[in-house]
Amino acid sequence: MKKKIAMLLCATLFCASALTGCSNLDNAGTTASSRSAADSVVATESAAESETAADTADYSKTAAESESADTEASSENVTATEAAADISDTTVAGWQFVVEKLEKNKSLENVSVDLGYTGVETNDYVKEASDGNVYYLIKMQLNKDGSTEAIDWASLKLTDSDGNEYTRIDDEFLTNLGMTRMAGTKLNFGSNEGWIAFEIKEDASGLTLSYPFESETYSCELPDLQ
């Protein structure tokens, strides 16, 4: 009888243990499923964050490149504006001196073609500077603004860094090149515009254009040309 009771107790305990085990397995499975789902959510969020970060980086890069392009374009505009500006604009003793363009060349044939006044195939005018010299041409405006003095070309000087002085040469040939020549007579009034020519040493540099008035002197340092 005691043996039967003992066996019955053992069977009861075994069943209880089996049920507990099943419950634990179910809980473990549920826990594992929950962890798997949580991991999946975390992975999805991480992937989304990575994609968002990548998109942000791409946008920032695109914006930076666009800003850089705008800056370069702006620099090009500034450069173009500076190149198009007059070289010098100064008023002295009631005369406005505007230096617009400069040209330096051994042959005036080349100057004419470079400036677009004549074409290579149509230009048959050739004028060469003396040995060791080149032509230095200045396009300028001279506007009288209340001055009591006239402009005498003999007093207009071009001086290099070595102290050599040059005066305007007889440049009537400029009209043969299709260029507008500044009047060669004294300027007493009004607005005057055109080219004037000098013949200078080939290696001359540090050129300064000057004109002495009674009250003050006009002086303009010109850039060196190749």
Side-chain angles (χ1 to χ4, degrees):
M1 183 67 177
K2 291 182 178 179
K3 289 182 179 181
K4 289 182 178 180
I5 293 174
M7 291 177 64
L8 181 59
L9 288 174
C10 288
T12 301
L13 290 174
F14 177 78
C15 290
S17 176
L19 290 174
T20 302
C22 290
S23 177
N24 287 338
L25 288 175
D26 290 341
N27 290 337
T30 302
T31 302
S33 298
S34 299
R35 288 178 179 175
S36 177
D39 291 342
S40 177
V41 171
V42 171
T44 302
E45 291 178 351
S46 178
E49 290 175 355
S50 298
E51 183 175 357
T52 300
D55 291 342
T56 301
D58 289 340
Y59 174 79
S60 299
K61 182 178 179 180
T62 301
E65 290 175 348
S66 177
E67 182 177 356
S68 176
D70 290 342
T71 302
E72 291 178 359
S74 177
S75 299
E76 290 176 358
N77 289 336
V78 170
T79 303
T81 301
E82 290 176 345
D86 293 325
I87 296 170
S88 174
D89 187 342
T90 307
T91 298
V92 176
W95 277 97
Q96 181 188 21
F97 290 75
V98 182
V99 178
E100 298 178 337
K101 293 181 181 180
L102 302 173
E103 283 289 333
K104 176 183 175 182
N105 211 302
K106 179 70 174 178
S107 169
L108 287 180
E109 176 188 14
N110 295 336
V111 170
S112 178
V113 173
D114 289 344
L115 293 175
Y117 293 117
T118 56
V120 175
E121 68 284 353
T122 60
N123 182 40
D124 57 0
Y125 185 83
V126 179
K127 188 171 180 63
E128 299 283 336
S130 304
D131 290 342
N133 291 346
V134 293
Y135 289 114
Y136 193 89
L137 310 182
I138 304 175
K139 185 180 182 183
M140 61 190 309
Q141 291 184 42
L142 290 170
N143 305 314
K144 190 171 184 178
D145 185 18
S147 179
T148 58
E149 300 183 58
I151 299 291
D152 184 352
W153 293 112
S155 298
L156 183 71
K157 305 291 184 182
L158 189 63
T159 308
D160 64 25
S161 57
D162 292 329
N164 299 305
E165 285 189 350
Y166 312 94
T167 57
R168 181 183 180 183
I169 63 176
D170 182 2
D171 52 19
E172 290 185 0
F173 53 78
L174 292 174
T175 58
N176 295 326
L177 300 169
M179 304 169 70
T180 301
R181 173 179 176 263
M182 180 79 77
T185 57
K186 286 185 179 182
L187 303 182
N188 292 300
F189 56 86
S191 297
N192 309 270
E193 183 178 17
W195 290 90
I196 60 176
F198 297 84
E199 188 171 343
I200 65 175
K201 291 186 176 182
E202 192 170 9
D203 59 353
S205 61
L207 296 171
T208 300
L209 186 68
S210 62
Y211 189 91
F213 291 99
E214 292 180 0
S215 58
E216 55 184 322
T217 298
Y218 164 76
S219 180
C220 175
E221 295 182 0
L222 302 176
D224 290 331
L225 303 179
Q226 298 299 322

